[in-house]
Amino acid sequence: MCISGKNRNMILLLLLFILAYQSCAKTTNDQDTKIRFYTLRTSGLYPKIFSCIGKKEALCIYFTAEDGTIRFTPLERIELEEAPPAFVPDKGLAIPLMFSEKITAVIQISQDHMALGYRLISGGTINLSEFVSFASAKNDVLLFGDNTYIKIASENTQMQIPNDKNNIITDKEQKTIEITGNWMPCSDIVITKKGIEGIVFSNTFSGIRYFLVQSNSLSTEFVGWRTFQEDATYTESKIPYVFLITLSEEAYPSVDSTDINPLFPFGFIDTKNVWFSIQRYDILPPRIKIRYVGTSRKFEPICSISSDGSKTFVFAEDKTGLYIFQRKSRWEWVEEKITDNSYGYLNSFIFNGTPCAIFTGKDNTLKVTCKISGAWKIKTIDPDEFSGINLYTFQENSRLHIVYNLIRSKPLIRYAQIYIDSLFSE
């Protein structure tokens, strides 16, 4: 069949109209008004939701455009083709981290500095320009750092979270070293009435480090690791007055999280062997009581933290599935498995006091889970095959805003509104 040029143009125009309508129309299907989907016409990556520039009561989607700039578009007008710039990098591309009334923070990637990592740039009440290996932001607080250090910056606080310590002994001296975790994504942060709480993934230990910063104290620990107590026997070493204990489990080699009784000077040779020293043999007890933290639990670099001010929850994945951990006290976490059908991206929130999570399943679909009436209920949000990055949520009363990428021939930005109470009312 032969189509004339004029008719061909009409057909193409009609197809564009249909595609444009489908990309911006709400999807009701079997979910009725519980979930509504929109797809931005402008392609981009790393979408996030913040208050609009110059109109803080409205919400906007910020994203990295194809030209490397950060652009934004209001949720109420996402059908617009053009999105004005919010940040223009000097060179390379910029990724949105936070846009608020007080703080603007972006990650800038330059081809000249790829070997050094990403550069965090912030302005407003916090002015920073640092190379980082990870960065997160929430509630006007920045969590960032490199492989060695974890840092926090807010309007009232700028601090570095200290690493744990281990004591090393040789035949000549004893010295103290820092235990660095090779910190990297994932990372997350939340502010509650308890203080600033956050998590960072340790590539060295395949563990998730939790920290709580309060007005006059700081505590850190690893999520979900067990503590062990032993009445240990010991042997003499080749160094005078130094004795060795072999542990029954792999330990986190930190003197900050380990206790021995009697309290002699001690440290770790490795994750299974502890040394302690005495100056008088006549005070040496027959056994040494030791309490330490085991490192047998290995996590994937996928995690999220949420808190309602009284209860803190960490969602994390290991090779067997998705778990939730509730913190009770120092080194005490209540663990519960949610599902073994999870893999990839994760974000969490609390709805009416109930912990919930958005995650991707092994079938590459986007799902939401909440603990309803004592059981974990799972609903599929987006049945489209999920191939993308940067899952981001923004909670507004009973409505949850989600924005993420779908990678097709180009990176599409999909936005969804979910009414959680209606979704789980069945």
Side-chain angles (χ1 to χ4, degrees):
M1 181 177 65
C2 181
I3 302 175
S4 68
K6 183 177 180 181
N7 288 336
R8 187 186 301 113
N9 289 339
M10 288 295 292
I11 291 171
L12 288 174
L13 186 62
L14 181 61
L15 285 172
L16 287 174
F17 255 120
I18 293 171
L19 288 172
Y21 175 77
Q22 287 178 337
S23 69
C24 296
K26 64 181 181 180
T27 61
T28 55
N29 51 55
D30 62 337
Q31 301 289 358
D32 196 13
T33 58
K34 299 168 187 175
I35 305 178
R36 296 173 179 171
F37 292 109
Y38 303 83
T39 303
L40 274 68
R41 291 185 186 178
T42 306
S43 62
L45 292 168
Y46 311 107
K48 286 184 170 65
I49 299 174
F50 304 111
S51 296
C52 297
I53 296 175
K55 194 178 180 182
K56 63 180 181 179
E57 66 276 5
L59 295 176
C60 282
I61 296 176
Y62 293 76
F63 60 94
T64 302
E66 292 179 1
D67 61 0
T69 64
I70 295 176
R71 297 180 177 273
F72 71 104
T73 183
L75 295 185
E76 59 190 27
R77 300 172 64 195
I78 60 174
E79 72 279 2
L80 293 178
E81 267 189 60
E82 295 298 327
F87 181 86
V88 179
D90 298 332
K91 52 185 175 180
L93 62 88
I95 299 172
L97 189 61
M98 174 181 286
F99 282 83
S100 72
E101 189 179 7
K102 297 178 180 178
I103 301 171
T104 296
V106 303
I107 297 294
Q108 185 165 318
I109 303 176
S110 173
Q111 200 70 29
D112 299 337
H113 298 106
M114 284 298 288
L116 298 175
Y118 307 133
R119 183 185 287 277
L120 167 63
I121 301 172
S122 71
T125 56
I126 302 173
N127 287 284
L128 293 170
S129 180
E130 294 193 24
F131 286 106
V132 298
S133 60
F134 68 90
S136 300
K138 198 180 293 181
N139 305 116
D140 291 331
V141 175
L142 300 179
L143 168 63
F144 60 96
D146 53 26
N147 293 335
T148 305
Y149 296 110
I150 303 170
K151 301 178 183 180
I152 297 172
S154 69
E155 187 176 17
N156 302 314
T157 303
Q158 293 198 36
M159 65 175 297
Q160 180 173 290
I161 295 177
N163 291 313
D164 287 345
K165 303 292 191 298
N166 179 34
N167 294 325
I168 298 293
I169 194 168
T170 68
D171 55 357
K172 294 182 179 180
E173 64 174 348
Q174 173 192 326
K175 62 180 180 179
T176 300
I177 62 170
E178 286 188 305
I179 304 171
T180 58
N182 189 15
W183 313 112
M184 58 178 290
C186 56
S187 63
D188 199 8
I189 195 166
V190 65
I191 303 177
T192 69
K193 62 184 180 183
K194 290 189 291 186
I196 299 174
E197 300 177 83
I199 49 176
V200 177
F201 184 78
S202 167
N203 198 38
T204 300
F205 296 104
S206 297
I208 298 169
R209 190 182 189 188
Y210 164 85
F211 60 84
L212 170 61
V213 178
Q214 296 175 303
S215 58
N216 56 358
S217 67
L218 167 70
S219 60
T220 66
E221 60 196 77
F222 280 90
V223 174
W225 282 2
R226 294 173 58 195
T227 57
F228 299 92
Q229 297 189 47
E230 299 178 10
D231 285 334
T233 57
Y234 51 84
T235 59
E236 289 189 63
S237 73
K238 296 179 180 179
I239 305 173
Y241 304 105
V242 173
F243 297 83
L244 304 178
I245 298 171
T246 299
L247 303 175
S248 59
E249 302 286 339
E250 295 281 341
Y252 175 48
S254 166
V255 295
D256 297 304
S257 59
T258 306
D259 300 310
I260 71 167
N261 185 21
L263 182 57
F264 299 127
F266 76 98
F268 286 83
I269 298 173
D270 53 38
T271 56
K272 288 276 293 189
N273 294 283
V274 176
W275 66 266
F276 70 92
S277 66
I278 63 167
Q279 296 300 314
R280 290 170 46 197
Y281 285 102
D282 61 336
I283 61 173
L284 188 62
R287 299 175 76 88
I288 299 292
K289 294 183 181 296
I290 184 166
R291 175 191 172 277
Y292 61 93
V293 180
T295 61
S296 57
R297 188 63 176 273
K298 303 298 182 183
F299 290 99
E300 301 294 312
I302 302 164
C303 60
S304 181
I305 187 171
S306 292
S307 177
D308 62 1
S310 59
K311 298 177 182 177
T312 298
F313 303 95
V314 171
F315 291 82
E317 287 188 10
D318 64 12
K319 292 186 181 299
T320 67
L322 176 63
Y323 288 80
I324 184 173
F325 298 86
Q326 181 181 350
R327 189 174 191 262
K328 292 295 186 182
S329 60
R330 180 158 171 77
W331 294 107
E332 182 184 0
W333 296 79
V334 177
E335 173 184 333
E336 189 175 358
K337 186 171 186 178
I338 299 174
T339 179
D340 57 5
N341 182 26
S342 67
Y343 180 77
Y345 300 98
L346 176 65
N347 209 310
S348 66
F349 61 97
I350 294 178
F351 176 71
N352 288 341
T354 298
C356 302
I358 307 285
F359 67 96
T360 47
K362 290 181 179 178
D363 57 356
N364 288 325
T365 61
L366 195 59
K367 301 177 185 297
V368 61
T369 182
C370 292
K371 195 169 187 180
I372 308 295
S373 301
W376 288 98
K377 307 294 185 182
I378 299 176
K379 298 283 187 179
T380 298
I381 299 173
D382 192 343
D384 227 353
E385 185 174 329
F386 185 84
S387 175
I389 53 176
N390 202 76
L391 176 65
Y392 191 83
T393 61
F394 186 96
Q395 193 172 355
E396 184 185 37
N397 300 323
S398 64
R399 183 168 57 170
L400 187 71
H401 303 277
I402 308 175
V403 65
Y404 50 97
N405 278 124
L406 289 177
I407 307 299
R408 298 297 183 257
S409 59
K410 61 181 180 179
L412 302 178
I413 297 175
R414 182 165 287 184
Y415 161 64
Q417 293 180 9
I418 302 180
Y419 293 85
I420 297 295
D421 48 356
S422 299
L423 187 66
F424 287 101
S425 61
E426 301 172 356

